Amino acid sequence: SIIRELKNQNLNFVVAEKKYLNLLNQKNVENWFKLNKPEIVIMAAAKVGGIFANKSYPVQFLLDNLKMQTNIIENCFNFNVKKLLFLGSSCIYPKNSPQPIKEEYLLSSELEETNEAYAIAKIAGLKLCQAYKKQYNKNFISLMPTNLYGPNDNFHPINSHVPAALFRKFHEAKINKNKFVEVWGSGKPMRDFLYVDDLAKACVFLLKNDISHDYLNIGSGSEISISSFSKLIKKVVGYSGEIIFDKTMPDGTMRKKLDISIIKKLGWYPVFDLERGLQTTYKWIIKNRIFG
């Protein structure tokens, strides 16, 4: 989505694709910086996954993300990159944070245990960017997006995030004419969902403008329960069966709505409402035959 937005604005860029550059390898990253000499860097790479993946592989979520972001951030300093945009996650905020979540609530209390390893890694990346800004006056900014959805998501049946997982479940239930779809958890948690193209526009907006803030929230400005969200995806997919909630599975944080007042004052705001974004995503899924 960021690539599409950069193309739309006729900006020159180079993509460090995973198949050509191993971000876990410090020497490889250093060589890439020597060769390409970027003036601006967007750090969008990370090891990510849903609740199940986070709980099952905490070592990989912590270690891989620490390695990747440290290699990138350190080389941005070593090669005098003018501006770095580091993408984090809303899971950096405390489990029981006041709502909506303001940037200042970071590290005010304990994290949600189901994604603690990933959150700690992202907090470390944010703090490293903050340290470089404080000690060396580097223009390193961190962006904390809410739950994202849209084209090119990871639609793995177990390791995906909520929107992608539900799209797969409801689509396959429709095709197989299943009588019900099972959704993990109670359905009660509230979530803030943002269409991925809105995030891409926020990234380019921040790169084009001078920002004094160390880190900023990016969200939709609204929230919806997992129960209502499931019903909305059911509607978009066109599934006619029932929804059953598996309360033996974890809910995660009960509420996680980001306060986006700071970035809105700077001039960015989301364009896609939730239903339009979900419809656009499902059309892309069908067009690209994601589920076969």
Side-chain angles (χ1 to χ4, degrees), residues 21 26-39 41 71-72 75-76 78-81:
L21 175 61
Q26 187 178 28
K27 193 64 181 177
N28 287 0
V29 174
E30 183 182 342
N31 289 337
W32 187 90
F33 271 82
K34 281 181 182 177
L35 178 65
N36 291 281
K37 299 178 176 61
E39 293 184 1
V41 171
N71 287 340
I72 291 292
N75 277 290
C76 282
N78 291 340
F79 288 89
N80 200 29
V81 167

Side-chain angles (χ1 to χ4, degrees), residues 24 57-69 117 121:
L24 298 172
Y57 311 108
V59 170
Q60 287 76 19
F61 275 86
L62 185 53
L63 196 58
D64 286 3
N65 282 301
L66 286 173
K67 286 181 179 179
M68 281 190 280
Q69 62 201 32

Side-chain angles (χ1 to χ4, degrees), residues 73-123:
I73 296 168
E74 186 177 16
N75 277 290
C76 282
F77 173 74
N78 291 340
F79 288 89
N80 200 29
V81 167
K82 292 179 180 177
K83 201 167 195 176
L84 164 66
L85 187 62
F86 171 70
L87 294 182
S89 166
S90 60
C91 72
I92 66 168
Y93 292 110
K95 176 180 180 178
N96 298 313
S97 181
Q99 304 289 319
I101 304 171
K102 298 178 182 290
E103 287 88 348
E104 65 200 58
Y105 298 159
L106 180 64
L107 296 177
S108 59
S109 62
E110 66 183 5
L111 299 165
E112 161 60 41
E113 63 179 359
T114 55
N115 57 18
E116 184 181 64
Y118 181 70
I120 288 173
K122 286 299 178 181
I123 292 170

Side-chain angles (χ1 to χ4, degrees), residues 10-233:
N10 296 315
L11 298 171
N12 296 321
F13 62 92
V14 175
V15 181
E17 293 186 74
K18 185 177 181 180
K19 60 184 176 181
Y20 299 121
L21 175 61
N22 179 8
L23 295 178
L24 298 172
N25 187 300
Q26 187 178 28
K27 193 64 181 177
N28 287 0
V29 174
E30 183 182 342
N31 289 337
W32 187 90
F33 271 82
K34 281 181 182 177
L35 178 65
N36 291 281
K37 299 178 176 61
E39 293 184 1
I40 295 172
V41 171
I42 303 174
M43 175 56 177
K47 181 174 180 61
V48 299
I51 289 177
F52 181 85
N54 273 273
K55 285 190 69 177
S56 302
Y57 311 108
V59 170
Q60 287 76 19
F61 275 86
L62 185 53
L63 196 58
D64 286 3
N65 282 301
L66 286 173
K67 286 181 179 179
M68 281 190 280
Q69 62 201 32
T70 302
N71 287 340
I72 291 292
I73 296 168
E74 186 177 16
N75 277 290
C76 282
F77 173 74
N78 291 340
F79 288 89
N80 200 29
V81 167
K82 292 179 180 177
K83 201 167 195 176
L84 164 66
L85 187 62
F86 171 70
L87 294 182
S89 166
S90 60
C91 72
I92 66 168
Y93 292 110
K95 176 180 180 178
N96 298 313
S97 181
Q99 304 289 319
I101 304 171
K102 298 178 182 290
E103 287 88 348
E104 65 200 58
Y105 298 159
L106 180 64
L107 296 177
S108 59
S109 62
E110 66 183 5
L111 299 165
E112 161 60 41
E113 63 179 359
T114 55
N115 57 18
E116 184 181 64
Y118 181 70
I120 288 173
K122 286 299 178 181
I123 292 170
L126 180 156
K127 285 296 180 181
L128 183 57
C129 289
Q130 202 173 41
Y132 271 115
K133 185 173 185 178
K134 181 179 180 180
Q135 188 171 339
Y136 297 106
N137 198 32
K138 297 301 296 183
N139 196 359
F140 291 180
I141 306 165
S142 298
L143 209 56
M144 300 300 119
T146 188
N147 302 274
L148 300 173
Y149 70 95
N152 296 302
D153 203 344
N154 169 23
F155 294 91
H156 190 278
I158 296 176
N159 295 333
S160 55
H161 286 106
V162 172
L166 292 182
F167 266 123
R168 186 179 197 107
K169 284 187 175 186
F170 281 104
H171 176 82
E172 291 180 346
K174 182 180 77 170
I175 298 302
N176 297 325
K177 298 181 180 178
N178 296 339
K179 292 183 179 180
F180 66 89
V181 166
E182 193 174 82
V183 177
W184 288 2
S186 66
K188 294 179 181 178
M190 305 292 290
R191 290 292 180 268
D192 175 358
F193 292 105
L194 183 71
Y195 187 64
V196 71
D197 283 11
D198 277 330
L199 172 64
K201 291 181 184 298
C203 291
V204 177
F205 172 83
L206 290 174
L207 292 177
K208 285 187 164 186
N209 292 277
D210 292 326
I211 306 297
S212 61
H213 302 276
D214 293 349
Y215 59 100
L216 291 164
N217 289 338
I218 303 292
S220 69
S222 60
E223 62 182 342
I224 184 172
S225 71
I226 295 299
S227 176
S228 296
F229 185 70
S230 300
K231 291 173 184 175
L232 189 53
I233 290 191

